[in-house]
Structure formats: structure tokens, C-alpha cells
Amino acid sequence: MRGKFNELALKKVSEQSNSFFILGDIGVHGMRELFLQYPNNIMNAGILEQSMVSFAAGLSRMGYIPCVHTIAPFLIERALDQLKIDFGYQNNRGNFVSVGGSYDYSALGCTHHCPADVSILSKIPNFEIFVPGRADEFEYSFNQSFANDRPSYFRLSEEENATKIDNFDAKPQIIRKNGSRALVMAVGPTLDRVLAACDHLEVDVGYLTTVIPVLTEFWMALDYEIIIFVEPLYRGTIESVIREALISEIVGWKSCSIGIPVSFVREYGSRNDLHEIVGLDATGINRQIKDFVRD
């Protein structure tokens, strides 16, 4: 998805001269054309995450459309106060594009892991949050939200779904129906693994990439006994966001979550190795779905 981001950045600056991209010492080579063609619309701030978020807020107040890009733990956890005050509280427009997902940088250990980013940002009012599973899904949401009047977060991963959603509009939807009383809701880049895990299970499968804003009418209309969220985040993150949005409503379904345990993943290996360790590979997802449905 990072290649698509580089392409979109150049396109945005060529179309909207008030666009400004700020890099946190990552993705610089991929943005070389933007540096060459529009040197006044991009900068590498280096490892100064708090400063570059506040700088982006200043740009926003001056009429620019800032976009900040670096690794998720450095962007979200290290610059949390600036995100909260300079963008959430001030409700400045701006875009924040992270890479690394929960543990895409699997070989670098916990300093480069960030399964908490969506949970953290979901507690800051005014933020939009997107977890696309493919480059084309990121492009759609980025184009829709780039120049709006809110801060927007786009969580990119090195893992992309092979499954393409026809007529994608960033809204939650049901993509496989078996007439089941149970719905398994895949979030972003978990979709291929969820589909594989559900191949021989009598469950419906849904897909979600927009975390906030919550489309309440979609959730209110669902007629299931149980909804199981499968998320590439700390487990319970998406479930909590949706439950909070529906707190004043009555729904007929109970819910549960399959995700990353709230603990440090100390093991090393490939991303797929870590999926297996935390139970987010297809086999682990299948086992947990059966346990939830059986209960």
C-alpha cells in the first residue's frame, strides 16, 4: 500500500497546491519524485514526531492540507499529546498515514509494534479512522477524506488482501451469506485469512475498513445472534468502538472479538509467524470462531 501512497501524494500536490507532506525519516526514497518536482510541498522532519505533528497543525491553521507519515508507534504513541491537543481538541484538518500495522516490522521487536493505535485514536474526539485492506481501498478513503475538515488516520499494512471488494465504498458490508445466525466481521487486511478460516463453517462473513465514523444504521439493521470481529489490533478494539456508538440503542446481537492479546509479543520471526503465535492465522481464527459459536 505504501507504493499507492507515494503515487497519491504526488497527485495531490499536483492538483492541490496547498497540500503538504511531512515524513518522519521514512518513505523518503519512495517520495523522491515529489521532492524533485515540488520541493516546497514536502519535508523530511527526521525523528521529531511530536514536532512534526505540531508543525502540521500550524500548517493546517494557515490553510494547508498537511499529511504526516511515519511508523505507527512513533506517529501515534510518541506524539499522542500533540494529536490530542493540536488536532483532536482544535479539530484541525490533517491526514496521518502510518505504516507497520501491528507487527509488520516483526523482526524489530516491541519498539516497532503498534497494535494499540486505533484504540488510542478512537478515544480522541473528531478523528476519522480507516484500516484499509488493499491499496485501492486506501485510495478511495484517502481521496474522500483528504481535504475535509477533520483529522483522518489511515493505517497501512504491508499485508494486502487478494480478495477485491466490488463497488467498494468504505462502508461495512456482508460479502458472504450462508443464512447463518452468526456473522464474522473481518477488519482490513484480515479478510483473506477470515475467508479461509470460514470456508467450511456455517457463518456469514462481513468486511469493515472504516472504523470511525460508525455507520450506526448498518449495525442496527443486522439480524444475527452473534457477531465476531476479527481485527489486526488489540482484541476488542473495533467491538468497543461500535458498542460505544450504539450505547443508546438496543441491538439483538451479542458480540466478541478475535485479535491480538493485550500483552507484549516478545517472539521474533516473520509477520506470518506472529499471526500464528497470537492466533490470527487462518487456523487460529477458525478454532476461535468455532469456540465462540459453540458457546
Side-chain angles (χ1 to χ4, degrees):
M1 281 187 247
R2 195 183 299 183
K4 176 58 69 174
F5 176 53
N6 298 338
E7 172 190 320
L8 288 171
L10 183 61
K11 188 171 187 291
K12 289 299 180 188
V13 172
S14 68
E15 294 175 346
Q16 296 172 275
S17 60
N18 62 335
S19 304
F20 198 101
F21 287 77
I22 309 168
L23 308 181
D25 211 29
I26 189 170
V28 177
H29 180 71
M31 294 280 191
R32 59 192 180 278
E33 284 301 317
L34 184 47
F35 275 103
L36 288 171
Q37 295 185 39
Y38 301 96
N40 294 325
N41 294 80
I42 186 170
M43 68 176 291
N44 179 19
I47 51 173
L48 297 168
E49 291 83 4
Q50 295 98 330
S51 296
M52 70 184 190
V53 171
S54 288
F55 179 68
L59 288 173
S60 182
R61 302 294 285 187
M62 293 173 63
Y64 287 89
I65 307 172
C67 184
V68 183
H69 173 60
T70 192
I71 301 173
F74 307 153
L75 176 59
I76 304 304
E77 294 173 324
R78 191 171 291 172
L80 174 58
D81 192 48
Q82 287 72 30
L83 291 167
K84 182 181 79 171
I85 301 302
D86 294 347
F87 279 91
Y89 179 68
Q90 302 286 346
N91 198 23
N92 285 319
R93 72 175 177 184
N95 301 279
F96 301 89
V97 179
S98 73
V99 290
S102 290
Y103 40 64
D104 278 359
Y105 292 96
S106 57
L108 298 180
C110 290
T111 58
H112 286 61
H113 296 176
C114 194
D117 54 345
V118 170
S119 178
I120 290 168
L121 281 185
S122 73
K123 303 304 180 185
I124 302 178
N126 297 319
F127 263 88
E128 297 179 318
I129 302 176
F130 303 94
V131 185
R134 288 171 50 97
D136 58 309
E137 296 168 1
F138 166 59
E139 179 176 15
Y140 179 92
S141 297
F142 192 70
N143 284 336
Q144 291 292 310
S145 295
F146 180 77
N148 68 10
D149 292 326
R150 297 182 62 179
S152 303
Y153 177 56
F154 303 88
R155 185 189 210 261
L156 304 190
S157 175
E158 295 295 323
E159 181 178 27
E160 290 196 45
N161 298 318
T163 304
K164 188 179 190 310
I165 304 299
D166 294 332
N167 302 314
F168 177 81
D169 61 2
K171 296 178 181 178
Q173 59 179 290
I174 312 300
I175 62 172
R176 180 189 288 179
K177 294 184 179 181
N178 290 317
S180 173
R181 301 299 296 157
L183 171 66
V184 180
M185 203 74 185
V187 178
T190 67
L191 180 58
D192 286 347
R193 283 174 278 141
V194 168
L195 290 172
C198 295
D199 266 346
H200 302 293
L201 299 179
E202 293 185 1
V203 295
D204 290 1
V205 176
Y207 187 52
L208 170 71
T209 63
T210 301
V211 179
I212 296 174
V214 175
L215 189 63
T216 55
E217 55 266 34
F218 171 84
W219 301 101
M220 290 297 299
L222 293 180
D223 183 24
Y224 290 96
E225 293 179 2
I226 184 171
I227 298 176
I228 302 169
F229 296 94
V230 182
E231 48 193 322
L233 312 160
Y234 277 147
R235 62 188 173 205
T237 297
I238 305 298
E239 180 186 8
S240 175
V241 168
I242 292 168
R243 283 292 187 184
E244 179 67 23
L246 300 175
I247 199 166
S248 62
E249 308 290 348
I250 298 174
V251 295
W253 40 266
K254 62 180 181 178
S255 60
C256 54
S257 176
I258 297 171
I260 299 168
V262 184
S263 60
F264 290 112
V265 180
R266 298 181 180 273
E267 293 84 354
Y268 290 84
S270 69
R271 181 180 59 243
N272 289 337
D273 290 333
L274 299 196
H275 283 339
E276 184 175 353
I277 288 167
V278 302
L280 274 178
D281 61 327
T283 300
I285 294 170
N286 174 277
R287 180 181 65 251
Q288 293 176 80
I289 290 172
K290 289 191 286 189
D291 289 343
F292 284 133
V293 172
R294 188 182 303 118
D295 291 341

